[in-house]
Amino acid sequence: MQETVGTGEQRAAGAAPADGGRVHEGVWVSAPYRESAADAQALILVDAQSAFLTGSHAVPDAAGLTLRLAALLERARAAGAVVVHLRNDGEPGAVDEPGSPGWELLLPVRESDREHVVRKDEDDGFAGTGLAELLRGRGVGRVVIAGVLSEMCVSATAAGAVERGFAVVLPHDTHATYGLDDIPAPVVSRVAEHALGDDPELVRSADRVGFTAPSGGVPG
């Protein structure tokens, strides 16, 4: 990532420039989140499975995250956008092992030509799944990515989307993870965002994210 240096006034005030972050006294100062983003033609929900959103293995604020994911899902459906539910196939004995209660998707699925479940066994939801072809075949160029875990499957899927030429919108309040040793979960999530670089559009709130139907149309 190339460091972006602001004006003298910004440097003196310790503020990050509008189009990127910078180093200030040994600390990276991030640019502000975008207030909004252009409408996306698809929503990718990453591993919104019972193992991570309910019970003893749930991420922090799982109930709040689930409500925000559900609201995002309903807005995508109402706009006629493509919806993809990624479901991770965990290793034998894992909390998300196929067929186990934790493997089940927590949010209801309405499978159709515009709503799909895609199983995966790697962090990147595009790796070996045909997800890119599914999206391109439906005229999708911009996607919203949300779910769990921030620094693993969410991050890898966002990077995979960018690598394959999709524009990516990542709402800050609709992805989450666990704490890491003595590092709080929100810090882990924020660092995961930063590690993605400047390509994904980071938006503070999913309330400011919009959807539209693909221009080519999707059968209903």
Side-chain angles (χ1 to χ4, degrees):
M1 177 186 296
Q2 182 178 0
E3 180 185 344
T4 304
V5 180
T7 65
E9 182 179 347
Q10 287 172 319
R11 289 194 297 271
D19 58 350
R22 65 181 180 84
V23 174
H24 176 67
E25 296 182 353
V27 175
W28 184 270
V29 180
S30 297
Y33 289 104
R34 294 175 184 238
E35 289 302 313
S36 61
D39 289 350
Q41 299 95 28
L43 168 64
I44 301 176
L45 290 171
V46 181
D47 303 347
Q49 294 165 255
S50 295
F52 310 116
L53 297 174
T54 65
S56 60
H57 293 283
V59 297
D61 188 31
L65 175 64
T66 301
L67 289 174
R68 293 188 291 274
L69 291 176
L72 201 60
L73 172 59
E74 289 306 313
R75 293 213 314 279
R77 285 171 172 163
V82 173
V83 174
V84 177
H85 302 259
L86 289 180
R87 175 156 62 181
N88 194 64
D89 292 344
E91 298 289 336
V95 294
D96 58 348
E97 177 184 358
S100 68
W103 180 70
E104 298 299 330
L105 292 168
L106 190 61
L107 299 177
V109 178
R110 302 174 188 168
E111 286 196 81
S112 67
D113 286 333
R114 114 178 345 118
E115 187 160 341
H116 310 265
V117 176
V118 174
R119 294 174 63 171
K120 65 182 183 65
D121 56 16
E122 297 188 35
D123 286 357
D124 180 2
F126 288 88
T129 63
L131 176 56
E133 292 73 19
L134 185 158
L135 295 173
R136 290 192 187 108
R138 285 153 179 77
V140 172
R142 177 183 293 271
V143 300
V144 172
I145 295 179
V148 294
L149 300 170
S150 301
E151 81 284 16
M152 297 179 69
C153 295
V154 170
S155 178
T157 300
V162 169
E163 180 181 342
R164 290 162 178 83
F166 295 97
V168 175
V169 180
L170 183 62
H172 175 69
D173 62 350
T174 52
H175 68 90
T177 191
Y178 305 104
L180 180 61
D181 295 327
D182 59 343
I183 305 173
V187 175
V188 179
S189 290
R190 186 68 183 101
V191 171
E193 291 176 343
H194 170 71
L196 286 168
D198 298 328
D199 289 315
E201 299 176 23
L202 302 179
V203 180
R204 183 175 299 280
S205 172
D207 291 341
R208 307 303 299 273
V209 171
F211 295 94
T212 188
S215 58
V218 180

